[in-house]
Amino acid sequence: MSLLNGFAGFLSRSVFRKSLDGYCRLVSTENDTTFVSDDGSLASLFELDGFRSLPGPLEITESVERLRVALSAYLARPGHSIEFFFAQSPDLGREEIARAIRQTRRNAQDTGLDLEDILEERLALLPLRLSGERCYLTLWSRPSLMTRTEGKEAGAAVSKRLQGSPSMREGQFPSLALGSLLTRHMSVSDALVREFSTQGIVLAPMTTHEALSVMRGVQNPAFLPNGKTWKGTLPGDYVRARLPSDERELTKGDISNIVWPIIARQVMTEHGEVLDQSTVRLGDYVFSGFDIVVGPEVVVEFNQLIRSVLEGEERMSWRCSIMVDSGGFQGQVFKQQYVGLFAWTAPISNMRIKNAFERLRKVDGAGDTVVRWRVSFAVWCDKSDEVKLRRHVAQLRRTVERWGNCQTDALTGDPMECVMSSAVGISAASTAPAASASFAEALAMAPIARPASPWSRGAVLLRTKDGKLWPYQPGSAQQLSWVDVIVGTPGSGKSVLLNTINLAVALSRQSGRTEENNGLLPRISIIDIGPSSSGLILMIRDALPVERRHEAVYHRLKMDGSNAMNPFDTQLCLRFPLAHERAFLVNLITLICTPDGEEKAYDGIAQVAAATIDAAYLHFCDEGAKKFGWTESHEVDATLKALGFEDDKQTTWWEVCDFLAEKGKLHEAALAQRLAVPTLSDLVLMANEETVTEQFRDMRTPTGETVMRTFQRMVTSAARDYPILAQPTRFDLSNARIISLDLADVVTTSGPQAKRQSAIMYMVARQATTADFWLDADEIRGKKLVGSFAEGARALHLRRVDNNRQMAKLFSMDEYHLTGGLGIRDQLVQDVRVGRKAGVQIILASQLLEDFDQAIQELASTFWFCNVPTEKSRDRICRDYNLGPSIKEVMRCLTGPKGDGAPVLAMMKLRSGTYVQELVNQPGPNELWALSTTAEDAALRRMLYERLGSKPARAILAKRFPSGSARGTLERRLSDLEDKGTAIDDRARQNVVQQLADDLVREVSR
């Protein structure tokens, strides 16, 4: 009786369609990925993201052919259907952007950053450049796949399982799948995922809950941005009993109120109404659909249709369903006979159709498989915009008819059924007439070649050229390593991209907290030649509360004592360096002792350096500890007096350091410690110690000089030539969290000492800004500590390690080709090897890929090519990374920023595979001015920041120069001066920038 009741409900809903939910044929689920329909068919949904690597026509053709060969066996006989679904909507893109910015805003507020002008600009501009899209594949398997015997046995098994079951007209019966059909269905499902993945296409099976959420979103676009987050109620889920809705349920003759509601009622939740012969209303939206009635004459890929839609007069919300059924000649036999019988009545057109049939008949089962091809489209708008809907439908129909020269028809008899034909997953039925087509051509016209994105969310918001959002999250679990390499010559957008990623890390979610449970900025270290990062640092600094602006520091280093950074500094209250600090010192001193023009130091120098360093720390923490003296540090003096500190002639700076730390004065303790540790000049003294000289007394260099004498001479020379290294630290970075050091004034590119000096300064800057990145808890727990604050220091540093582990740490270095190529390269390779284990992200930028060491190229997980200037470089990259001709062509077209953003080729080695995509980085005018790196623009920005403040300055610059640069205006003014006979030198250029700044300030004050 229950089966009869269920059949009656099916007739009411699905056959006579007295209600909207009759268009949904799904009645239950069988497992985590499979639905059962009312006729016994099985359906599974997959998320189709597209190609991991940007395909060209040749790659698409090859992939389509391989898919055809692999899958033709499953489509040779009737029973299987594959539905390709694609939807695109500006509203969806707007909501995706809003969601990403909401998360970024929360992160910024948590860390105390006020960047509302930047975030509001992104919210306003990004949706104008993007359209959200969804792409899915549905596999249908029908009972006709089974033999008659299998069908009888499977049906009997289902009837036996349902025997004695109570009535549930409005509920889901579990375990309805036919066993042998389920086996075939799962086999094809696995084959689809496997074969698509083999061709580099991302196809992921969706759970039935995720699929149900997607179906609901397609029916009601208001839910589409939620993706797969809504959860329906399916067999196996807990369900709360509902009050009986009729007498049958009240008398317990039907138990629908205590089981899982029917799927159709969960998907079709809105009221439906037919407005006219082509328009329907579903909830708050109006829809209009049409079908392709005559297929295309030529095969044109789906991406071309997307581009044509985006190039149209208006942006619209639209969707498409392409149904590919196995058994292409089924249902076409009568048409073939008809054409043969009446060929004489229309010898031109009908003979052409007959010839098409003959061609398909010949290839079916030989070089290809013939399938049935049905395509439906729909457009939707807000219910108040019916005029707009009709305009969009007309525009889409014109575009589709140009897609391979198709013909369309919107008059299908039932406009609701036509609209439902373009929905996903609810039914394999379609109002579109079936056409016979080759399987290869059907695949070629399906939306399989979209650019796949491994991230659904990310702090960096990029896009593809055809408007698909492509988020990127630095330092994610998907990456094999946390090493990014950026390649680009000047003017290619390299520095802006580097600043964009650095800013994204600063705005990423952090779990590290202060003792007051406030959010912390991440630890970001930037080393650069020139002021490229100054705009980023100034923006972050000005976005912080006044009392926290010391946390963001940009500094142009000078080779003098006021910028002194003693490389021998240790962690607070530690008498000896940690392992990574000692290794750095050995490398640094060895580099210092490398003769000009040589690639490495003499034999034995590294061993002398290690022995001398160890001796220095031992000496200055014990009997040779440096004696305390008043007036060395006014800040320390004031604190000691306030605390009532009493000293004598034997008091050491280490004792003062411990005393201050015990009193909780950690900053003052750090100042005192600077006067306790060794300096570079102290190594000369230590080299005379018997314990050091005895080991190397007889060693000599190739010049005949003893190793010890060479060591002392070169260290003495370095102490004179590098005053920035030879004195106690004066340049304080201890409280800064985001640091950029500009090395332009302390490196040189000419002379015999150039490479060594550059390498030394890069190495010192790296250590000064990242010393706390590499702290190891096990080492601190096991290290022998001395002093009255020994255990307090251990606890302090363990807390720092724990906090470090919870927050992002980024080391960013531009102009890698200027590092000198000596010891710093080895240090950076080591950093790259251990970076992820220490939780450190590393970004290295240079002009050519060849600038990077082979080890770094092999260990890097992400490459950003802003341009590749030579054919030789392009050939090498394509050969080494197995990239196809389409990628090489993209490289040729990377010519730097344009009006629609800066193109970049991204290559990422991820756990899920290698992704290669052409992307666009397009910050808004306000953000571009904040991150601008050109000298003239940076100077203008600095002048206006000083006179107007950062936000007002960026606002006026963005308004007057929305391209992000005033170079054109400045060049015109300079040209006018030159025409008047004025010599153009640096002073003239500065005056022109100043005059433009004055003009802008006057404009604001009006």
Side-chain angles (χ1 to χ4, degrees), residues 223-387:
F223 288 93
L224 197 57
N226 296 334
K228 299 172 284 188
T229 56
W230 175 79
K231 184 176 182 181
T233 304
L234 298 172
D237 296 341
Y238 168 78
V239 59
R240 188 178 296 278
R242 304 175 298 283
L243 291 174
S245 59
D246 56 30
E247 185 176 349
R248 289 181 53 82
E249 292 181 357
L250 186 63
T251 60
K252 299 184 179 179
D254 189 291
I255 63 168
S256 297
N257 62 305
I258 62 173
V259 297
W260 314 277
I262 60 173
I263 290 176
R265 294 282 169 80
Q266 300 184 58
V267 173
M268 324 288 276
T269 59
E270 303 299 318
H271 171 69
E273 179 184 359
V274 176
L275 301 181
D276 57 40
Q277 60 184 356
S278 62
T279 309
V280 302
R281 179 187 297 156
L282 294 174
D284 294 331
Y285 297 89
V286 285
F287 292 76
S288 183
F290 61 90
D291 302 324
I292 289 181
V293 294
V294 177
E297 291 185 5
V298 294
V299 176
V300 181
E301 64 176 85
F302 197 85
N303 282 355
Q304 183 57 51
L305 175 62
I306 295 173
R307 286 191 286 269
S308 297
V309 171
L310 292 173
E311 292 168 0
E313 301 168 3
E314 295 182 65
R315 302 171 70 206
M316 68 180 77
S317 297
W318 63 285
R319 70 192 192 199
C320 171
S321 171
I322 302 176
M323 189 69 72
V324 179
D325 305 318
S326 60
F329 281 105
Q330 185 185 29
Q332 303 294 316
V333 175
F334 176 74
K335 291 183 182 180
Q336 187 176 6
Q337 293 172 341
Y338 177 90
V339 170
L341 180 63
F342 294 101
W344 58 272
T345 63
I348 298 177
S349 59
N350 282 356
M351 285 303 296
R352 188 167 57 189
I353 299 174
K354 182 178 180 180
N355 292 337
F357 273 116
E358 288 300 322
R359 181 179 65 86
L360 290 172
R361 177 68 75 185
K362 289 178 181 179
V363 302
D364 188 29
D368 206 338
T369 299
V370 175
V371 296
R372 299 170 72 233
W373 189 77
R374 297 174 289 164
V375 185
S376 297
F377 291 84
V379 177
W380 72 89
C381 289
D382 187 88
K383 65 181 181 181
S384 62
D385 289 330
E386 290 186 41
V387 174

Side-chain angles (χ1 to χ4, degrees), residues 28 308 361 430 452 552 704 713 773 795 822 901 973:
S28 187
S308 297
R361 177 68 75 185
S430 174
R713 175 174 54 80
F773 282 18
L822 300 176
R973 294 192 177 193

Side-chain angles (χ1 to χ4, degrees), residues 718-782:
R720 180 186 65 251
D721 296 339
Y722 299 98
I724 194 173
L725 306 181
Q727 301 176 31
T729 296
R730 294 186 185 178
F731 178 50
D732 186 10
L733 294 172
S734 58
N735 294 317
R737 302 195 61 79
I738 299 179
I739 307 165
S740 173
L741 293 184
D742 179 356
L743 307 185
D745 292 340
V746 293
V747 300
T748 181
T749 57
S750 60
Q753 81 287 1
K755 290 178 64 175
R756 182 165 64 101
Q757 181 171 331
S758 296
I760 288 171
M761 295 317 303
Y762 265 102
M763 186 173 285
V764 171
R766 170 207 166 271
Q767 179 65 14
T769 58
T770 68
D772 59 332
F773 282 18
W774 319 99
L775 298 179
D776 181 73
D778 291 336
E779 181 182 6
I780 292 172
R781 290 191 191 97

